[in-house]
Amino acid sequence: MPHTAALVVSLVASASALSAPSSAPKAALFKAIDTFNAATAVDGTVPIDFGVKGGELDKKSRAPRNLFPDGFDAVSENVGTAAKGVMAAVDALAGEASLAANAADTWKTADSPLTGEWSNLWTTAADATFDSKSERGAAKVSNVVDARKGRITNVIKFTDPESKADALRVRLTAKAVGARRLELTFRWVCVTFKKRLFGIFRSVYVPLVPATFLARLIFFFRPTRATPTPFFDLLYLDDELRVQKTGEGNVFVQKKLVE
């Protein structure tokens, strides 16, 4: 009967909707980031320059400074509130079923969902925060992952026309240590200049094996005597979005770039 058939279709559709992961938490995160960006467009961002004095590193641990919540609160009440909104959305999304549940198990495979270029949308990490008003200048931060080869390249592309450096690339290798966690090893750093340095060098390459203080300074990890192995835990992952937390507690929200 038509009525019965329609009822069956409706029940099947409802069951499918319940079993499918909700897109609402992800949409809420994007909206929260938009709100944060609107707040910083009016009130400004956390002023970050190099080193401890510049706010890049924590005074006590010399680790990359976590801007949440104190750094954002110091900018303005609106920015602080918006940052808390982003973190609440991150927490909500982390509770959703996603590819993060076993993504590390796909490491070193050709079809790993981690592979690709990921652009940074939002972070709490001071050393990955750039602004045109600071000495560091404006920059775009991204992360290129080749899971099959087991390597990650952190890329900082300087967009300030006054910057002498064109890009900074930090190569790491990674290994899976659990379904959600990847441990990292720094390999090298390369700085590419817009004009040849001293009229000779276009790029300066520095190997980082074993890891040195410079390697720890570049991105997220703690330069102490008992430095733990750097890592990040995947909080959420799908074919568009990746959210992770480093061993230092810094959160990164990244969106995959489509070729």
Side-chain angles (χ1 to χ4, degrees):
M1 297 177 65
H3 178 72
T4 302
L7 179 60
V8 170
V9 171
S10 176
L11 289 173
V12 170
S14 298
S16 298
L18 288 173
S19 61
S22 173
S23 62
K26 189 166 78 168
L29 176 57
F30 286 139
K31 183 177 180 180
I33 292 174
D34 286 342
T35 299
F36 176 86
N37 290 338
T40 57
V42 174
D43 297 339
T45 59
V46 182
I48 302 296
D49 276 316
F50 298 106
V52 173
K53 291 184 178 180
E56 181 185 31
L57 303 178
D58 183 84
K59 293 180 180 179
K60 294 182 179 179
S61 67
R62 303 285 171 153
R65 180 179 162 212
N66 190 329
L67 301 178
F68 184 82
D70 295 345
F72 297 126
D73 285 340
V75 176
S76 73
E77 182 179 354
N78 285 340
V79 170
T81 299
K84 293 178 178 67
V86 175
M87 288 296 286
V90 165
D91 290 341
L93 189 61
E96 293 291 303
S98 77
L99 298 175
N102 62 352
D105 292 336
T106 69
W107 196 244
K108 290 296 190 78
T109 67
D111 58 351
S112 172
L114 288 164
T115 291
E117 183 175 2
W118 301 83
S119 176
N120 207 45
L121 295 182
W122 190 84
T123 185
T124 65
D127 58 340
T129 300
F130 293 83
D131 179 49
S132 60
K133 297 178 182 179
S134 70
E135 181 183 345
R136 292 154 61 96
K140 293 182 179 179
V141 179
S142 62
N143 182 263
V144 181
V145 179
D146 188 333
R148 186 180 65 82
K149 294 182 179 180
R151 68 191 188 193
I152 299 171
T153 307
N154 291 328
V155 181
I156 299 172
K157 180 72 174 179
F158 296 98
T159 58
D160 190 329
E162 300 299 320
S163 174
K164 295 180 179 179
D166 178 62
L168 173 69
R169 291 175 173 82
V170 183
R171 172 64 57 81
L172 309 93
T173 54
K175 67 176 181 178
V177 287
R180 291 177 177 265
R181 178 171 295 186
L182 290 176
E183 284 188 349
L184 307 172
T185 300
F186 288 97
R187 295 302 182 186
W188 50 256
V189 59
C190 179
V191 182
T192 303
F193 299 94
K194 293 179 179 178
K195 295 182 179 180
R196 292 185 181 275
L197 189 64
F198 307 121
I200 302 174
F201 303 106
R202 185 65 184 270
S203 299
V204 175
Y205 168 92
V206 181
L208 301 174
V209 182
T212 64
F213 176 77
L214 176 60
R216 300 185 184 104
L217 196 66
I218 295 294
F219 251 88
F220 337 123
F221 310 110
R222 179 178 302 165
T224 63
R225 293 181 182 177
T227 303
T229 302
F231 67 88
F232 65 77
D233 288 326
L234 291 158
L235 303 182
Y236 180 87
L237 177 68
D238 62 18
D239 59 359
E240 176 188 29
L241 188 67
R242 186 175 114 204
V243 184
Q244 64 192 46
K245 179 181 286 188
T246 72
E248 294 297 336
N250 279 311
V251 170
F252 287 79
V253 179
Q254 299 171 320
K255 187 174 184 180
K256 181 175 281 190
L257 297 177
V258 180
E259 295 182 358

